[in-house]
Amino acid sequence: VIRDLVFVLLALLTVVPAFWVVFSRNIVHAGFALLFTLVGVAGMYGFLGADFLAVTQLMVYVGGVLVLVLFTVMMTHVPAAKRSRHGLDRLVPPAVFAAAVFGVLYKVITVVKWNVGEASTSPTTTEIGTQLMTNYIFPFEYVSIVLLAAMVGAAILIRERSHAGSDDAIAEEKQEARP
Amino acid sequence: VNVGLPHFLTVGAVLFALGLFAVMSRRNTVAILMGVEWRSRAMCNAGSTAR
């Protein structure tokens, strides 16, 4: 009974703020609602015995990504005239498509006979670390190379833009300096 | 009701569908990123459940 109650509370903590994020016009409110959703998901990971995932979720997503999103939202000013106003014609097709996708997923979830194993009760962090450094060393290193490539790409993109921006600024200054 | 695998997967499916809706209906880039975030969380949820 307690297990069911915990699941229902975690599911509500996850899903209700998720609806709030979708239907909230205020992006700051949406960001704060996302906080509760991510905490709920972390709780579910812990509930399922995935302790490493739960802690990573809290540290990386709640502590890192969400703070980044909120800072981005608060530091960028969107003029009131440019704020998007959702008409029904803009909301109905995505809603129908999302409902259809959910219907298919729900059908698959309920029809398929899942091979359910026992959840481990021991900590998983040591095992994950051992596996990453032994059996899964190639995927681990491959992902690190992909991340490095993404970082270098982002740096190059920013550099090119800032160079173009500074060139334009110099040209404008020269034009203004001409008598 | 005994909480089992389908219940966790259903929560993941709800999150996935909501993320999809957010990505398709929002114009704000940050909101779209939030939608993408949910979709990845939903998949992680499913993966964690099915392990």
Side-chain angles (χ1 to χ4, degrees):
Chain A
V1 179
I2 292 174
R3 190 180 152 82
D4 295 354
L5 195 65
V6 170
F7 172 77
V8 169
L9 286 176
L10 286 175
L12 285 176
L13 182 64
T14 307
V15 173
V16 173
F19 276 94
W20 191 11
V21 177
V22 170
F23 295 107
S24 169
R25 289 266 175 92
N26 190 324
I27 195 77
V28 179
H29 292 176
F32 277 108
L34 189 66
L35 170 82
F36 292 104
T37 303
L38 292 176
V39 169
V41 173
M44 279 206 178
Y45 288 152
F47 189 53
L48 287 164
D51 54 340
F52 179 76
L53 263 182
V55 174
T56 309
Q57 169 86 6
L58 281 179
M59 287 176 68
V60 176
Y61 283 94
V62 180
V65 173
L66 193 70
V67 171
L68 188 72
V69 167
L70 286 175
F71 263 92
T72 311
V73 167
M74 287 174 174
M75 291 177 77
T76 52
H77 175 69
V78 182
K82 286 190 177 176
R83 280 184 190 151
S84 60
R85 297 191 177 279
H86 296 301
L88 268 183
D89 55 334
R90 192 166 163 73
L91 289 179
V92 169
V96 171
F97 186 69
V101 168
F102 174 74
V104 171
L105 286 175
Y106 186 74
K107 187 75 180 167
V108 170
I109 288 167
T110 47
V111 167
V112 172
K113 290 198 181 281
W114 301 95
N115 185 17
V116 184
E118 285 294 315
S120 71
T121 50
S122 57
T124 56
T125 314
T126 314
E127 184 60 25
I128 288 173
T130 310
Q131 291 291 333
L132 277 179
M133 287 293 123
T134 53
N135 291 337
Y136 295 95
I137 186 78
F138 180 70
F140 182 70
E141 291 298 331
Y142 180 74
V143 167
S144 68
I145 290 171
V146 170
L147 280 175
L148 183 67
M151 279 168 58
V152 171
I156 289 172
L157 281 174
I158 295 293
R159 202 175 146 205
E160 279 178 359
R161 270 192 201 167
S162 61
H163 270 233
S166 60
D167 288 348
D168 290 348
I170 290 168
E172 279 177 14
E173 278 177 13
K174 277 183 182 173
Q175 279 203 340
E176 283 174 7
R178 278 180 193 164
Chain B
V1 180
N2 244 342
V3 173
L5 187 65
H7 298 88
F8 287 98
L9 290 177
T10 305
V11 173
V14 171
L15 283 185
F16 187 88
L18 280 172
L20 196 63
F21 177 76
V23 169
M24 290 174 73
S25 64
R26 291 293 191 118
R27 282 185 185 167
N28 191 319
T29 317
V30 179
I32 292 172
L33 279 175
M34 287 180 186
V36 173
E37 199 68 52
W38 278 352
R39 292 173 60 177
S40 63
R41 290 302 89 205
M43 281 185 263
C44 275
N45 195 4
S48 162
T49 314
R51 107 199 135 81

